[in-house]
Amino acid sequence: MITNDNSSSQKNGDTNSVVHFDSRPVSSVDCKRDWVLLNVGGKHFMTTRSTLSKEESFLGRLCQHEPDLKTDVDDKGAYLIDRDPNYFNVVLNYLRHGKLILETNLVEEGVLEEAEFYNIRPLIELVKEKIRERDKRKFNDCRTSRVYRVIQCQEKEVTQLMSSLSDGWKFEQLIGHSPVGSSYMYPEGEFLCIVSKQYDRGTREDSNTSVSERVKILQERGSRM
């Protein structure tokens, strides 16, 4: 609070007004009132009313100074919520910074269940979109397969072959002499180059690009060289 002792100064003939500042920590009291303690599934979470009120939800209604929702509190005064604390941590972090961050042991469906319980509409839409993207990736992965070719070449042709790979073909392995256990003796200076390409199973593949048992055997033996 700011007060001005101008009237008393004029009575004393002093034309200079004196300003007094009230240094009572009003703001710190307000800050303390903003903090909220929650007990979710036996685990305590400390956050603020402003964080919980970022979105219209069950949590925002619960933490109002005069809440329209009634709930029990524990011996520490924390609001009791019977939900999974691991997924609540994801929900709370979303309210803090607006991002969906999942630990490796959590799944999108679990977050969606909690978001629907707390009725956080933006988070519900975000999780549904993440689930659609995840399922689409899985579907695309199931539709693709990798096929291999074995190309026989001379030593002087290896560099040219590597540089000429295109159309999605990728170098895998170069075998420069007879693998252990092979009955075939490669002439000196002759190489086998193994290349691969990822194909959509829904498209028609050329018969020459199908995976052969010979390629698999050569790769196996080559890896032991």
Side-chain angles (χ1 to χ4, degrees), residues 93-147:
N93 281 332
Y94 170 79
L95 292 174
R96 286 168 172 159
H97 47 59
K99 296 179 181 179
L100 177 61
I101 301 176
L102 282 178
E103 296 182 10
T104 54
N105 60 328
L106 303 180
V107 295
E108 287 85 352
E109 285 79 3
V111 181
L112 179 60
E113 186 72 22
E114 298 305 300
E116 289 177 340
F117 174 81
Y118 297 115
N119 194 30
I120 307 175
R121 299 306 307 176
L123 180 56
I124 292 172
E125 295 305 316
L126 176 60
V127 177
K128 286 182 176 179
E129 179 62 26
K130 294 291 185 183
I131 291 175
R132 286 192 291 268
E133 292 176 357
R134 181 203 63 191
D135 292 344
K136 184 178 180 180
R137 286 195 302 269
K138 287 184 178 179
F139 176 76
N140 291 335
D141 290 343
C142 291
R143 285 176 55 86
T144 59
S145 61
R146 186 162 291 278
V147 296

Side-chain angles (χ1 to χ4, degrees), residues 29-50:
V29 174
D30 292 339
C31 288
K32 289 181 180 179
R33 294 181 61 193
D34 191 44
W35 286 97
V36 179
L37 186 62
L38 303 173
N39 183 335
V40 183
K43 183 176 180 179
H44 285 93
F45 293 86
M46 179 72 76
T47 185
T48 62
R49 286 185 170 84
S50 56

Side-chain angles (χ1 to χ4, degrees), residues 14-218:
D14 187 358
T15 58
N16 295 323
S17 61
V18 180
V19 179
H20 295 281
F21 293 91
D22 190 343
S23 59
R24 288 177 296 177
V26 177
S27 59
S28 63
V29 174
D30 292 339
C31 288
K32 289 181 180 179
R33 294 181 61 193
D34 191 44
W35 286 97
V36 179
L37 186 62
L38 303 173
N39 183 335
V40 183
K43 183 176 180 179
H44 285 93
F45 293 86
M46 179 72 76
T47 185
T48 62
R49 286 185 170 84
S50 56
T51 295
L52 298 178
S53 302
K54 282 185 179 178
E55 304 289 350
E56 292 186 8
S57 68
F58 163 85
L59 294 170
R61 294 172 59 192
L62 178 67
C63 70
Q64 295 174 1
H65 290 292
E66 296 182 2
D68 56 354
L69 293 175
K70 301 299 181 182
T71 185
D72 295 330
V73 296
D74 63 12
D75 54 356
K76 293 183 179 180
Y79 294 107
L80 287 166
I81 304 175
D82 186 21
R83 302 298 293 183
D84 189 322
N86 296 317
Y87 282 102
F88 180 76
N89 193 46
V90 178
V91 173
L92 182 57
N93 281 332
Y94 170 79
L95 292 174
R96 286 168 172 159
H97 47 59
K99 296 179 181 179
L100 177 61
I101 301 176
L102 282 178
E103 296 182 10
T104 54
N105 60 328
L106 303 180
V107 295
E108 287 85 352
E109 285 79 3
V111 181
L112 179 60
E113 186 72 22
E114 298 305 300
E116 289 177 340
F117 174 81
Y118 297 115
N119 194 30
I120 307 175
R121 299 306 307 176
L123 180 56
I124 292 172
E125 295 305 316
L126 176 60
V127 177
K128 286 182 176 179
E129 179 62 26
K130 294 291 185 183
I131 291 175
R132 286 192 291 268
E133 292 176 357
R134 181 203 63 191
D135 292 344
K136 184 178 180 180
R137 286 195 302 269
K138 287 184 178 179
F139 176 76
N140 291 335
D141 290 343
C142 291
R143 285 176 55 86
T144 59
S145 61
R146 186 162 291 278
V147 296
Y148 297 85
R149 272 185 178 173
V150 179
I151 304 173
Q152 188 172 352
C153 59
Q154 299 295 320
E155 182 177 2
K156 61 183 179 180
E157 299 172 330
V158 173
T159 302
Q160 182 181 356
L161 175 63
M162 299 294 185
S163 60
S164 63
L165 290 176
S166 61
D167 194 28
W169 287 99
K170 176 185 175 183
F171 169 74
E172 293 287 344
Q173 191 173 2
L174 186 67
I175 301 177
H177 58 81
S178 301
V180 177
S182 173
S183 59
Y184 177 75
M185 297 299 294
Y186 296 103
E188 187 177 353
E190 183 179 297
F191 291 84
L192 289 181
C193 181
I194 301 176
V195 295
S196 70
K197 182 177 181 179
Q198 188 164 296
Y199 273 87
D200 188 335
R201 292 180 182 176
T203 61
R204 184 177 180 180
E205 297 178 0
D206 186 272
S207 59
N208 292 329
T209 61
S210 59
V211 181
S212 68
E213 289 301 318
R214 182 168 179 263
V215 173
K216 292 180 180 179
I217 293 172
L218 286 171

